């Protein structure tokens, strides 16, 4: 009983400690954006940084002695996100005077914002605004009277009927520009108004939606102002920065709210504050912004302190958007799990439908046993050469599982067997709300099929392993093991057409690791189907074959707890059921040239793919504040094109050589996949197999394999050698095995 009491006490103590922990930005360095000997050039009011961290923008505030008031100062950063490399001497100054509404009214706050792709520039002050279209993203130096966007002369302090803004000190947008937020930062009465925009990033199309009143927050009742506001990347955290004029001895803070519904202020709950300190001094955050996917924060002050006047402070964050609390980037983590589920279906269906193509291409061959190794490259930058060679593992005569011939030889075995190894790696999922993910996949599939009443029928098993590295600053890695069972068939129809069918089920086990320590695990199960139709009638002199394909899967993941060892945050994820799928259409060509003892096949296809996967919503609860959040994985890359071209040379005595190249290209974004496959194999008449495997990506290593059948015994010799190496690497081994 005492032991139980002690354990309970310790657990409560740990949970209370976690709950009480306040995550603070870590000061790194500071920078004066003024030239030596100058003051208030610029007088910092608002700052912004490009997504690549190579440019920083400082909005000038008019003060005494200022000669370039109402201007935007542009600085190049030699090292991305490192303000110590700001080129102050060669800065560019863009004056906004005379371009539209005057931004210099009084001494009001000047605000600079961009839309999500950097092609719209928004400038606000207390009473007026300027908006500009930019032909080149973030090219602020190009603004002129011709780039102005009309705003109907609206005063955004009074433009929305239920909003009465006394002091416009902060403006921001949600990710897609359908919502705008205005901060009335007057002392003691901070209110943030949410405005819904019928036209994205068009403030003149806005209507009042909600006002977040902070007067009930005891931390915000002091005699001070609030300025810039910001959200994290998925809109579930709101940050409000505080500032004072000439009171640097008084601490100021950044206040954080949690939103259970992303970007909806009506769902906001206050969770805490973090004091703003830079280089050991209190800092008044007149302007500030996040950078480097939320792993950096930059705070600018126009008040003098021990570091000087108009100083920019750079901070490192211990986790993405880590101010007050750290949370797992659930959108990226769950998005990676969804990608694993989609990849399992894709790998199974893609391999089996390639089996159908191979059967048609080798319809006249007596032995349709086939074993294959394939490397897929999922990387926009890397597309390297990888060669793989195939050969039969057993010299047994099998009945051809032909899609065209219905007669079989009953004296022969009527099952054909085949195998396929797939290896892929790359980078996917870099969207507005999800961080990129480094993905590596390995899989092995073994199948059996035969001819039944002029139809192909078969089974295939696949074992796969997916390793996903989340590039969200959390050091999270997902390690997934999958087992799949597939039943497939090809049914010949009238007029030389075929209907290919696949039904599969999978079991998925996902382990979440942080620095090689398990922080959570999740099980999943899925069922999927894929159907394709193709007509083998030759169209045009190029012998084009039209085809269409439909693929759909349903996956269910169990609920799980993420213990977040690094961030000391425990999160509960609810059970998740979601649908994925796509529909596609295209043209194949498969032209075969016959001679007495050999054939040459020229084959390939082009395919348009439309992704049917909808937005996926899920719920996660944090133990830090007990708030349950609804988050959404947005659909992206709806439109895609896949192209394939290949050649296969086969001799009747059994030797084959083929080369095949395939590219999967997203139309919506730059992501693509490249695949290149070389195959070489021979089967001699003395029941012996000889293989050559050349690997240029692994020190030009070459492997030689010789397999000889000796009655019930098999003799196998292996050797490897590194070509073109000054110090050759080689080895050999001999294996003898028997079957009885």
């Amino acid at each position: 009983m005492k032991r139980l009491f002690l354990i309970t006490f310790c657990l409560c103590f740990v949970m209370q400690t976690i709950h009480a922990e306040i995550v603070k930005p870590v000061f790194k360095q500071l920078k004066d954006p003024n030239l030596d000997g100058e003051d208030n050039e610029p007088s910092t009011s608002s700052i912004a940084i490009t997504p690549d961290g190579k440019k920083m923008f400082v909005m000038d505030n008019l003060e005494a002695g200022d000669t370039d008031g109402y201007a935007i100062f542009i600085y190049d950063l030699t090292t991305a996100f490192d303000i110590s490399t700001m080129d102050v001497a060669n800065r560019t100054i863009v004056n906004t005077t005379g371009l539209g509404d005057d931004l210099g009214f009084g001494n009001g706050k000047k605000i600079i914002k961009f839309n999500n792709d950097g092609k719209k520039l928004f400038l606000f002050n207390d009473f007026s605004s300027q908006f500009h279209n930019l032909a080149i993203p973030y090219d602020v130096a190009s603004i002129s009277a011709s780039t102005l966007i009309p705003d109907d002369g609206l005063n955004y302090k009074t433009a929305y009927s239920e909003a009465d803004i006394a002091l416009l000190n902060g403006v921001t947008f949600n990710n897609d520009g359908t919502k705008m937020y205005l901060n009335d930062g007057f002392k003691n009465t901070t209110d943030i108004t949410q405005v819904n925009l019928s036209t994205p990033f068009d403030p003149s199309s806005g209507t009042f939606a909600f006002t977040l009143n902070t007067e009930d927050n005891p931390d915000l009742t002091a005699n001070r102002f609030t300025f810039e506001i910001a959200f994290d990347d998925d809109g579930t955290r709101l940050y409000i920065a505080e500032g004072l004029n000439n009171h640097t001895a008084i601490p100021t803070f950044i206040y954080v709210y949690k939103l259970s519904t992303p970007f909806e202020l009506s769902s906001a709950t206050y969770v805490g504050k973090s004091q703003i300190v830079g280089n050991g001094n209190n800092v008044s955050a007149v302007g500030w912004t996040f950078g480097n996917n939320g792993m950096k924060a930059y705070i600018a002050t126009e008040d003098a302190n021990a570091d000087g006047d108009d100083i920019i402070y750079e901070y490192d964050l211990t986790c993405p958007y880590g101010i007050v609390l750290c949370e797992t980037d659930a959108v990226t983590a769950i998005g990676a799990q969804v990608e694993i589920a989609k990849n399992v279906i894709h790998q199974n269906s893609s391999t089996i439908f390639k089996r159908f193509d191979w059967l048609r291409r080798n319809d006249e061959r007596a032995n349709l046993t086939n074993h294959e190794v394939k490397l897929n490259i999922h990387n926009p930058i890397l597309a390297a050469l990888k060669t793989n060679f195939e050969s039969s593992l057993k010299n047994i005569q099998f009945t051809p599982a032909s899609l065209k011939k219905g007669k079989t030889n009953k004296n022969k075995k009527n099952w054909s067997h085949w195998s396929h190894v797939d290896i892929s790696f790359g980078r996917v999922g870099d969207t507005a709300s999800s961080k990129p993910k480094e993905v590596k996949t390995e899989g092995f599939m073994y199948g059996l099929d035969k001819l039944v009443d002029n139809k192909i029928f078969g089974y295939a098993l696949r074992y796969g392993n997916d390793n996903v590295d989340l590039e969200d600053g959390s050091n999270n890695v997902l390690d997934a093991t999958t087992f799949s069972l597939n039943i497939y068939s090809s049914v010949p129809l009238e007029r030389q057409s075929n209907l290919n069918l696949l039904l599969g089920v999978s079991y998925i086990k996902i382990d979440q690791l942080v620095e090689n320590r398990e922080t959570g695990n999740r099980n999943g199960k899925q069922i999927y189907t894929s159907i394709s139709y193709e007509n083998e009638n030759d169209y045009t002199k190029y012998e084009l074959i039209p085809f269409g394909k439909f693929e759909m899967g349903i996956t269910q993941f169990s609920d799980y707890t993420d213990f977040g060892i690094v961030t000391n945050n425990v999160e509960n994820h609810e059970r998740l059921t979601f649908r994925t799928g796509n529909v596609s259409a295209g043209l194949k060509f498969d032209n075969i040239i016959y001679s007495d003892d050999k054939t040459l096949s020229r084959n390939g296809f082009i395919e348009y793919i439309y992704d049917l996967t909808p937005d996926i919503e899920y719920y996660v609860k944090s133990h830090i504040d007990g708030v349950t959040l609804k988050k959404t994985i947005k659909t992206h890359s709806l439109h895609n094109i896949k192209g394939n071209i290949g050649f296969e040379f086969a001799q009747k005595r059994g030797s084959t050589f083929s080369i095949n190249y395939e590219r999967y290209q997203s139309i919506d974004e730059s992501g693509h996949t490249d695949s290149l496959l070389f195959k070489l194999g021979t089967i001699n008449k003395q029941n012996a197999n000889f293989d050559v495997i050349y690997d240029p990506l692994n020190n030009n290593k070459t492997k030689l394999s010789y397999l000889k059948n000796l009655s019930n015994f098999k003799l196998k010799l292996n050797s490897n050698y590194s070509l073109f190496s000054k110090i050759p690497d080689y080895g050999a081994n001999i294996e003898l095995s028997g079957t009885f």
Side-chain angles (χ1 to χ4, degrees):
M1 188 68 181
K2 291 182 178 179
R3 180 178 297 177
L4 178 61
F5 174 79
L6 180 60
I7 293 174
T8 303
F9 174 80
C10 291
L11 287 174
C12 292
F13 176 77
V14 170
M15 294 304 297
Q16 288 296 324
T17 302
I18 293 174
H19 183 80
E21 180 182 0
I22 296 296
V23 181
K24 299 179 180 180
V26 179
F27 170 76
K28 182 176 183 180
Q29 58 192 350
L30 57 86
K31 185 73 174 181
D32 187 344
N34 296 318
L35 293 172
D36 292 341
E38 288 190 355
D39 188 20
N40 297 326
E41 289 288 341
S43 175
T44 57
S45 176
S46 180
I47 59 174
I49 192 167
T50 54
D52 64 3
K54 290 298 186 69
K55 285 186 182 294
M56 178 167 278
F57 307 91
V58 177
M59 194 70 189
D60 190 18
N61 209 29
L62 178 63
E63 288 196 358
D66 191 347
T67 60
D68 288 302
Y70 336 135
I72 305 169
F73 287 68
I74 308 171
Y75 302 85
D76 291 324
L77 280 68
T78 305
T79 302
F81 301 107
D82 183 353
I83 63 170
S84 69
T85 66
M86 285 175 58
D87 189 356
V88 177
N90 296 305
R91 63 193 182 181
T92 300
I93 302 175
V94 179
N95 202 314
T96 64
T97 303
L99 297 184
D101 292 345
D102 186 4
L103 298 177
F105 180 86
N107 193 29
K109 171 88 160 92
K110 312 298 187 298
I111 303 164
I112 181 171
K113 292 293 176 184
F114 294 92
N115 72 333
N116 53 1
D117 63 5
K119 289 189 174 182
K120 288 185 184 295
L121 169 67
F122 302 93
L123 306 173
F124 293 88
N125 81 342
D126 196 29
F127 285 93
S128 57
S129 60
Q130 280 186 28
F131 308 145
H132 294 267
N133 281 320
L134 306 179
I136 300 174
Y138 302 100
D139 184 15
V140 176
S142 68
I143 66 171
S144 65
S146 64
T147 63
L148 279 170
I149 304 173
D151 64 357
D152 301 325
L154 290 177
N155 181 338
Y156 294 97
K157 292 176 60 176
T158 59
Y160 310 106
S161 58
E162 298 184 50
D164 185 12
I165 300 172
L167 193 64
L168 183 60
N169 275 350
V171 179
T172 194
F173 298 87
N174 68 340
N175 291 338
D176 61 10
T178 57
K179 294 180 175 64
M180 180 176 67
Y181 308 87
L182 308 174
N183 180 29
D184 182 358
F186 196 73
K187 57 185 179 181
N188 295 341
T189 60
T190 294
D191 292 328
I192 301 176
T193 297
Q194 176 180 319
V195 178
N196 292 342
L197 307 180
S198 58
T199 302
F201 293 106
D202 180 5
S204 66
S205 69
T207 56
F208 174 83
F210 184 81
T211 293
L212 175 64
N213 191 324
T214 66
E215 291 183 10
D216 294 334
N217 182 352
D219 288 343
L220 274 167
T221 58
N223 185 22
R224 55 192 67 186
F225 298 87
T226 57
F227 289 95
E228 299 277 11
I229 54 177
F231 289 96
D232 65 346
D233 57 348
D234 64 1
T236 58
R237 278 176 279 177
L238 169 68
Y239 303 84
I240 307 172
E242 184 179 56
L244 294 169
N245 292 324
N246 302 318
H247 292 288
T248 56
I250 301 175
T252 56
F253 300 88
I254 291 180
Y255 303 91
V256 180
Y257 285 76
K258 287 284 294 291
L259 285 72
S260 57
T261 301
F263 294 108
E264 286 293 338
L265 293 186
S266 59
S267 68
T269 302
Y270 178 67
V271 293
K273 64 182 180 180
S274 177
Q275 185 177 347
I276 308 171
V277 178
N279 199 29
N281 301 311
N282 291 326
V283 174
S284 178
V286 175
W288 76 286
T289 188
F290 286 113
N292 194 22
N293 293 320
M295 294 303 296
K296 290 278 190 182
Y298 304 90
I299 294 177
T301 177
E302 63 177 352
D303 294 328
N305 60 26
D307 297 318
D309 199 2
D310 305 312
I311 300 298
I312 299 175
Y313 296 85
E314 178 185 331
Y315 299 83
D316 289 326
L317 304 183
T318 56
C319 62
Y321 304 93
I323 301 177
V324 174
L325 73 163
C326 271
E327 294 181 314
T328 303
D329 184 357
V331 171
T332 298
I334 304 302
Q337 297 174 18
V338 171
E339 289 294 331
I340 289 172
K342 293 174 67 175
N343 189 52
V344 171
I345 298 174
H346 169 75
Q347 293 290 351
N348 279 278
S349 66
S350 178
T351 301
I352 289 174
F353 281 95
K354 280 183 174 62
R355 170 65 174 172
F356 290 135
D357 292 338
W358 191 88
L359 288 172
R360 292 189 185 90
R361 197 158 48 247
N362 295 273
D363 190 80
E364 303 300 327
R365 295 179 61 186
N367 188 347
L368 294 181
T369 296
N370 171 248
H371 299 273
E372 178 179 278
V373 177
K374 184 176 181 181
L375 172 67
N376 293 321
I377 304 173
H378 296 266
N379 196 302
I381 299 174
L382 177 63
L385 178 65
K386 176 70 177 179
T387 59
N388 302 279
F389 300 91
E390 77 172 26
S391 69
S392 297
L393 300 180
K394 296 180 181 178
N395 190 28
I396 301 175
Q397 293 297 317
F398 288 91
T399 297
S402 173
L403 295 174
K404 299 177 181 177
K405 295 184 177 181
K407 297 180 179 180
T408 63
N409 187 341
K410 295 183 179 180
N411 295 324
K412 298 179 180 179
K413 297 181 181 180
N414 61 354
W415 283 97
S416 294
H417 66 101
W418 56 276
S419 63
H420 181 98
V421 175
D422 56 84
I423 302 173
S424 63
F425 54 93
R427 180 183 176 93
V428 297
D430 191 0
T431 67
S433 61
S434 178
K435 305 297 188 305
K437 296 167 279 288
E438 295 287 343
V439 181
K440 180 180 179 181
T441 302
E442 301 171 338
F444 173 78
M445 178 175 280
Y446 181 81
L448 294 168
D449 47 38
K450 69 175 181 177
L451 189 69
V452 179
D453 297 330
N454 206 30
K455 304 176 182 65
I456 288 292
F457 178 81
Y459 304 91
L461 292 169
R462 181 180 185 272
Y463 166 81
N465 179 261
D466 292 71
N467 188 273
V468 184
D469 185 1
L470 309 184
E471 296 190 352
D472 61 354
S474 65
N475 296 319
N476 277 5
V477 173
L478 300 181
D479 185 75
T481 302
T482 62
F483 299 90
S484 303
L485 170 63
N486 301 276
I487 302 174
Y488 60 91
S489 178
S490 182
V491 181
L493 304 176
E494 295 180 354
R495 300 178 182 178
Q496 287 189 286
S497 59
N498 295 286
L499 185 66
N500 302 322
L501 308 169
L502 166 66
L503 178 65
V505 293
S506 295
Y507 168 79
I508 304 172
K509 181 179 183 299
I510 300 176
D511 293 326
Q512 180 174 291
L513 307 173
V514 176
E515 298 180 347
N516 295 321
R517 299 182 64 184
E518 184 175 301
T519 62
N521 56 75
R522 188 171 211 176
N523 298 325
K525 52 190 176 182
Q526 65 181 188
I527 183 171
Y528 52 89
T529 185
S530 187
I531 303 172
S532 73
Y533 170 85
E534 57 186 60
N535 191 315
E536 292 192 49
N537 289 293
D538 298 334
Y539 294 90
T540 78
K541 64 180 181 180
Y542 302 105
E543 300 181 355
L544 299 178
I545 301 172
F547 70 93
K549 184 178 177 182
F550 171 79
E551 187 173 280
M552 183 65 67
I554 298 176
T555 304
Q556 184 180 85
F557 284 137
S558 65
D559 55 0
Y560 85 106
T561 301
D562 178 1
F563 289 95
I565 292 175
V566 172
T567 62
N568 289 330
N569 179 34
V570 179
E571 293 179 341
N572 286 337
H573 295 259
E574 294 185 3
R575 177 180 296 183
L576 176 62
T577 303
F578 57 92
R579 171 175 57 87
T580 61
N582 59 70
V583 61
S584 63
L587 293 171
K588 291 184 180 181
F589 65 91
D590 195 351
N591 176 258
I592 301 177
I593 300 175
Y594 296 91
S595 64
D596 292 339
D597 61 347
K598 62 182 72 71
T599 62
L600 175 65
S601 170
R602 298 169 294 181
N603 56 84
F605 63 83
I606 185 168
E607 180 180 9
Y608 166 77
I609 303 170
Y610 181 81
D611 195 339
L612 299 174
T613 304
D615 292 348
I616 298 172
E617 295 182 345
Y618 65 97
Y619 294 88
V620 56
K621 179 180 179 180
S622 171
H623 283 208
I624 290 180
D625 49 33
V627 176
T628 298
L629 302 178
K630 180 179 75 172
K631 298 198 175 187
T632 303
I633 302 170
K634 293 287 187 180
T635 301
H636 65 96
S637 187
L638 294 176
H639 306 280
N640 308 274
I641 288 181
K642 184 164 67 173
N644 181 293
I645 186 169
F647 300 89
E648 182 175 85
F649 177 79
Q651 293 181 310
K652 288 187 177 180
R653 63 175 180 265
S655 63
T656 63
F657 172 78
S658 65
I659 179 174
N660 193 271
Y661 171 75
E662 183 173 294
R663 182 180 179 92
Y664 185 99
Q665 176 69 58
S666 169
I667 300 176
D668 301 324
E669 54 189 34
S670 61
H672 68 266
T673 299
D674 291 292
S675 302
L676 187 62
L677 173 66
F678 285 78
K679 294 186 291 185
L680 174 66
T682 63
I683 306 175
N684 67 25
K685 296 181 180 180
Q686 288 75 38
N687 293 333
N689 296 350
F690 177 72
D691 299 312
V692 181
I693 303 175
Y694 171 51
D695 186 352
L697 296 183
N698 189 14
N699 197 28
N700 295 295
K701 183 169 290 187
T702 304
K703 294 183 179 180
L704 306 178
S705 176
Y706 178 78
L707 177 64
K708 175 73 173 179
N709 289 330
L710 303 171
S711 185
N712 290 334
F713 293 92
K714 291 181 181 179
L715 175 66
K716 186 173 183 181
L717 293 88
N718 290 309
S719 177
N720 64 80
Y721 190 84
S722 297
L723 295 177
F724 313 116
S725 175
K726 294 182 180 179
I727 305 177
D729 176 22
Y730 60 90
N733 69 307
I734 300 175
E735 298 177 10
L736 181 65
S737 61
T739 57
F740 301 93

